[in-house]
Amino acid sequence: MSERSDADLLAAHVAGDADAFGELVHRHQSRLWAVAVRTLGDREEAADALQDALVSAFRRAGSYRGEAAVTTWLHRIVVNACLDRVRRRAARPAVPLPEQEPADHRDAHASTETALDVRAALATLPEHQRMALVLVDMHGLPVSEAAAVLGVAEGTVKSRCARGRAALLPLLAPGGNRSAGSDVPGMDPPAETKEAAVPTEGERA
């Protein structure tokens, strides 16, 4: 197993090392895949978006300047590839059903329904709020890293997350029996919603 850092691998790729980029991708592919799947909610689209992102990263490796971690740079490219696909289907957001779901597996069915509810609710959010929630609450990125990926201030990420959680709450708990925090893995209840009353700089789109 190579002990080279991510930056070393990227630099080696730019210098002509035929194996370096593949090693870098192998090291981080699972996290990048998770971001794509949770953002798009469709495995086929996520696979296409990830492929587009990796091709872009392969070709643009020479533009990396070391101003952010290589993982942050890669996440940003994946997020942008996903956003391109989100914009394309914005007029007709779809929630895919699982290909196989045994009718007698009630617990599994209930879990699937919950996941579909969450995906449908996320699809109603403004793009910038959705991406912040996916990165921070569903993928577990630190606010600082999510801010670097999205190219905004940390306060903006916090505000977007708070507003997104507040918007999800009535959608996921129409009868008062659910909370957005309980339905979305890793998502806490919107305790800090009040702090987001005033938009931060960059909270426009």
Side-chain angles (χ1 to χ4, degrees):
M1 180 67 68
S2 171
E3 296 299 328
R4 290 185 290 181
S5 69
D6 292 344
D8 288 341
L9 286 172
L10 200 59
H13 162 65
V14 174
D17 186 329
D19 299 320
F21 190 78
E23 186 174 338
L24 181 65
V25 169
H26 183 267
R27 185 178 291 180
H28 299 293
Q29 188 168 11
S30 61
R31 291 188 69 196
L32 299 175
W33 167 247
V35 167
V37 169
R38 289 168 178 168
T39 300
L40 295 170
D42 181 287
R43 296 179 70 85
E44 288 187 9
E45 282 210 61
D48 289 341
L50 183 57
Q51 180 177 1
D52 290 345
L54 293 179
V55 169
S56 178
F58 183 92
R59 293 174 175 171
R60 293 168 46 195
S63 69
Y64 175 72
R65 295 290 179 262
E67 297 173 357
V70 172
T71 51
T72 299
W73 180 75
L74 288 171
H75 273 87
R76 184 181 297 134
I77 294 174
V78 171
V79 165
N80 287 336
C82 290
L83 286 177
D84 285 343
R85 291 183 175 273
V86 168
R87 293 185 186 110
R88 290 176 204 167
R89 71 180 191 186
R92 49 182 183 80
V95 179
L97 292 173
E99 294 181 0
Q100 295 181 345
E101 187 64 39
D104 58 337
H105 289 183
R106 296 181 181 178
D107 291 339
H109 182 67
S111 177
T112 298
E113 286 186 334
T114 296
L116 294 177
D117 286 345
V118 171
R119 289 177 184 174
L122 282 170
T124 69
L125 294 179
E127 198 172 271
H128 57 278
Q129 291 178 5
R130 182 184 187 196
M131 291 308 307
L133 284 178
V134 166
L135 292 175
V136 176
D137 286 345
M138 299 184 73
H139 191 56
L141 289 187
V143 170
S144 59
E145 187 172 347
V149 168
L150 297 174
V152 299
E154 291 184 28
T156 300
V157 173
K158 293 178 181 178
S159 176
R160 290 177 179 180
C161 285
R163 290 171 181 271
R165 292 175 190 134
L168 286 179
L169 184 59
L171 296 177
L172 294 175
N177 295 323
R178 297 178 181 175
S179 71
S182 64
D183 276 319
V184 182
M187 181 179 290
D188 297 323
E192 69 272 46
T193 300
K194 296 180 180 179
E195 300 177 4
V198 180
T200 59
E201 183 177 356
E203 184 76 0
R204 304 293 184 196

